[in-house]
Amino acid sequence: MTTHINDAQKKLGSVIRERRRAAGISQEAFATEVGIHRTYIGAVERGERNVSLANILRIATALNVSAAQLFNEAGL
């Protein structure tokens, strides 16, 4: 079960990183916009953090997508 969760975190983090980069936003600027520390965003993008639903919603809003779209793109 833990491996499945870790894989899901990595997939979601990868999608977030790809979307942020495609938008041309630095990690630091994105973190400021979302209201989350830059190191936390980095850990989310690397799949190291089990990000909360509240933070997923904040990230999705900053990326102008729905949380469902992020999950869908991650194959979750």
Side-chain angles (χ1 to χ4, degrees):
M1 178 85 164
T2 301
T3 301
H4 177 70
I5 292 170
N6 291 342
D7 289 345
Q9 287 173 196
K10 287 180 182 179
K11 289 176 184 178
L12 182 61
S14 179
V15 168
I16 291 167
R17 177 185 293 127
E18 289 171 16
R19 284 200 156 266
R20 176 187 57 77
R21 286 181 175 169
I25 305 169
S26 71
Q27 198 175 67
E28 188 170 349
F30 185 65
T32 298
E33 183 176 343
V34 174
I36 298 172
H37 196 275
R38 183 196 53 80
T39 59
Y40 184 90
I41 290 291
V44 168
E45 290 183 352
R46 291 187 302 275
E48 297 171 355
R49 299 287 275 194
N50 186 9
V51 61
S52 70
L53 178 58
N55 284 337
I56 290 169
L57 294 173
R58 293 163 76 182
I59 288 167
T61 298
L63 293 171
N64 296 312
V65 297
S66 68
Q69 190 170 351
L70 291 177
F71 281 110
N72 187 44
E73 288 179 25
L76 303 173

